[in-house]
Amino acid sequence: SSSNPQGDCHTDAMTNKDKTRQLLPYLFSQGVPAVAVSIIDKFVGENYLCTGQELQHVAAAKREQVWKAFYQDLVLPAARRCCCELTVKHRCLIQYVNFD
């Protein structure tokens, strides 16, 4: 997969990056909460990928990375304490979606 903004795969007048930048305000205008739009923006980043399949691959890798940290930090310790339920406050979840 290419992370080069000048890559050969962008022959259309509008790049994936441009399409993503148009999509985010649209999502917000359709009632998607601003925090969710912000998370999507951080997750997708500059989006210089050529195909949806490449983006799907990056998304799956990030999701796996986030899940592993979430599991190690929160789920596993609760399971070791024999907890059957786990309630996580929003402010705790934010650290798992900071992809910088």
Side-chain angles (χ1 to χ4, degrees):
S1 84
S2 173
S3 61
N4 179 359
Q6 306 302 322
D8 295 335
C9 60
H10 297 293
T11 57
D12 295 339
M14 184 178 283
T15 65
N16 287 337
K17 177 183 177 183
D18 296 331
K19 291 175 186 176
T20 300
R21 292 293 159 240
Q22 286 184 356
L23 176 63
L24 296 175
Y26 173 77
L27 291 174
F28 183 72
S29 74
Q30 296 300 304
V32 175
V35 68
V37 173
S38 176
I39 290 167
I40 292 168
D41 185 34
K42 287 180 181 178
F43 193 78
V44 174
E46 293 299 313
N47 191 10
Y48 287 120
L49 302 174
C50 300
T51 67
Q53 185 178 14
E54 290 175 354
L55 181 57
Q56 215 172 19
H57 176 73
V58 170
K62 284 290 188 180
R63 189 172 40 251
E64 181 70 19
Q65 175 187 358
V66 168
W67 171 246
K68 282 182 181 180
F70 180 81
Y71 178 82
Q72 287 290 339
D73 296 350
L74 299 173
V75 177
L76 188 58
R80 287 183 176 147
R81 294 190 309 271
C82 297
C83 294
C84 296
E85 285 185 22
L86 178 63
T87 302
V88 181
K89 295 188 184 281
H90 180 261
R91 67 177 173 265
C92 292
L93 289 176
I94 293 299
Q95 69 182 335
Y96 295 98
V97 294
N98 183 6
F99 299 118
D100 296 334

